[in-house]
Amino acid sequence: MPVSTTNGGHNQIISLIKRHPVISFYVVTLAISWVLWIPTMRALNGGQNTITLTMLLWGYAGLVAPTLSALIFSFIIEGKKGVGELLGRLLRWRASLGLYAFAICFEAAIIIGAVAIAVLLGSPMQQADFSKWSVVLVMFPMVFFNAIWEELGWRGFAQPHLQKKYSALVSAVVVGIIWRWMFAPNGPI
């Protein structure tokens, strides 16, 4: 059905989002992240072997796509109350501070270990130019806040909406599959 540009068209879009919040969330999240990541991936695949500050910023912005989409759709579906509930999930501590610290350090260790194994096995790697402090200043929050930027969207928005119709296991599998598709521009799925 064609969507008109009048107020009726706006209402149709809002109605569609409210009827299909998860699909709407996925489409917008993938669109935002892919628009930001595809130019960088094209440059790297085209022979550029240095990751620039601009590339890091595009990458960082792409990681924010799930949270940005979740905030937009929470507002459209439930208004300020929905946004407040979504953001409130960031303050619900369900484990000890030590367990959270372990999880963050463990993620960093896995990433460093995976990169080390790839290099030892002869994988060609693009080199980041860390001679500029600005790159380091961009990389730190990108790695540190990675989970917040993504998980608020995936686990804070998509998962609860899916669990209204499906079991926690089915919902988690669907979220995981679509989450992986978000990174399709970065390489083979």
Side-chain angles (χ1 to χ4, degrees):
M1 160 180 3
V3 177
S4 69
T5 56
T6 64
N7 195 24
H10 179 265
N11 290 339
Q12 287 177 342
I13 293 170
I14 299 297
S15 176
L16 178 71
I17 290 169
K18 287 182 177 183
R19 282 192 324 270
H20 304 287
V22 177
I23 293 172
S24 302
F25 166 79
Y26 284 144
V27 168
V28 170
T29 296
L30 294 178
I32 292 170
S33 61
W34 289 3
V35 162
L36 294 169
W37 289 341
I38 287 174
T40 295
M41 292 302 106
R42 288 188 57 154
L44 291 174
N45 291 332
Q48 181 173 336
N49 61 2
T50 301
I51 298 172
T52 66
L53 178 60
T54 303
M55 291 176 177
L56 287 173
L57 289 172
W58 284 118
Y60 193 48
L63 289 175
V64 178
T67 293
L68 179 62
S69 298
L71 290 167
I72 291 167
F73 290 116
S74 291
F75 183 77
I76 289 171
I77 295 165
E78 300 170 10
K80 290 180 184 177
K81 178 184 173 213
V83 172
E85 287 176 12
L86 181 67
L87 293 174
R89 292 182 180 133
L90 291 173
L91 303 175
R92 289 189 202 132
W93 293 77
R94 296 183 181 155
S96 69
L97 186 58
L99 192 54
Y100 280 102
F102 171 77
I104 291 169
C105 292
F106 187 69
E107 178 185 11
I110 287 174
I111 292 168
I112 291 167
V115 169
I117 290 169
V119 169
L120 290 173
L121 294 175
S123 176
M125 296 207 37
Q126 289 83 18
Q127 300 295 317
D129 179 9
F130 288 104
S131 63
K132 298 177 183 154
W133 276 102
S134 57
V135 173
V136 175
L137 293 174
V138 169
M139 284 294 290
F140 177 74
M142 186 173 173
V143 171
F144 186 75
F145 291 109
N146 181 34
I148 293 173
W149 297 135
E150 289 188 59
E151 295 308 318
L152 192 59
W154 303 119
R155 304 284 181 235
F157 181 84
Q159 182 95 17
H161 281 280
L162 282 169
Q163 282 185 225
K164 292 176 183 177
K165 291 185 179 181
Y166 307 103
S167 70
L169 177 61
V170 170
S171 299
V173 168
V174 170
V175 167
I177 290 169
I178 304 298
W179 169 83
R180 180 57 190 109
W181 274 98
M182 181 174 134
F183 296 98
N186 298 338
I189 294 176

